[in-house]
Amino acid sequence: MIIGFRDCIRLFGISVIVCLAVFVCTIFLNYNLDITAAEEQIAPEGRVIYEALVMTGKAVAAVSGGCLAATSLVMLLGYIRSFIDARAKELGVLKALGYSAPAISRRFLVFGAAVLAGAVPGLFFAYCYMPAFYARQNETGLL
């Protein structure tokens, strides 16, 4: 099976959405882990702001990251379905030639590679952006 230019564009779009989902979730989940570790150091008058920051981090990670992840999953599953429908004859010929189901399914690793190609840069960029994110949060002097 040949992956064409249009297929590459679709897989790139899926990779970008996965990258954004991983980036958003990594930033805000790490932020929540770090801020909850400093819970004992929060003064009583700053308790309300602290709790608001924790809830905001959870909400952003759940809503933004969850919506991006769900969007990429729906896009990926829809694209796999259309890919299979468009190449049903090719898959039938491969099966008739004696290819086993695992041998044919190995050709679909490109879809998993697209997800991995989005997740790895998302994680990398999130960890590179974390110091700037913390510096921005500390500008107000709340933390």
Side-chain angles (χ1 to χ4, degrees):
M1 286 185 296
I2 298 173
I3 303 294
F5 181 71
R6 293 180 74 188
D7 298 323
C8 290
I9 291 174
R10 289 178 182 161
L11 290 173
F12 179 74
I14 291 169
S15 295
V16 168
I17 293 174
V18 169
C19 179
L20 294 174
V22 169
F23 180 82
V24 168
C25 287
T26 302
I27 288 285
F28 285 99
L29 292 177
N30 277 337
Y31 179 67
N32 274 357
L33 288 174
D34 291 338
I35 202 166
T36 54
E39 184 175 6
E40 305 86 37
Q41 300 171 1
I42 303 297
E45 56 272 0
R47 194 78 180 156
V48 173
I49 294 172
Y50 165 78
E51 291 174 4
L53 288 173
V54 170
M55 290 306 294
T56 301
K58 287 179 184 177
V60 168
V63 174
S64 297
C67 287
L68 287 169
T71 302
S72 62
L73 180 66
V74 167
M75 285 178 61
L76 183 65
L77 293 176
Y79 178 57
I80 290 172
R81 182 175 175 93
S82 71
F83 188 83
I84 290 172
D85 289 345
R87 290 166 177 82
K89 290 182 182 179
E90 291 176 33
L91 294 171
V93 169
L94 289 175
K95 193 69 173 168
L97 289 173
Y99 283 89
S100 65
I104 294 173
S105 65
R106 267 184 289 216
R107 296 173 184 262
F108 289 91
L109 287 176
V110 69
F111 298 109
V115 171
L116 185 64
V120 170
L123 192 63
F124 175 75
F125 289 134
Y127 278 108
C128 289
Y129 181 69
M130 285 299 277
F133 180 74
Y134 284 141
R136 179 81 172 186
Q137 290 291 321
N138 287 329
E139 283 178 0
T140 58
L142 293 175
L143 300 178

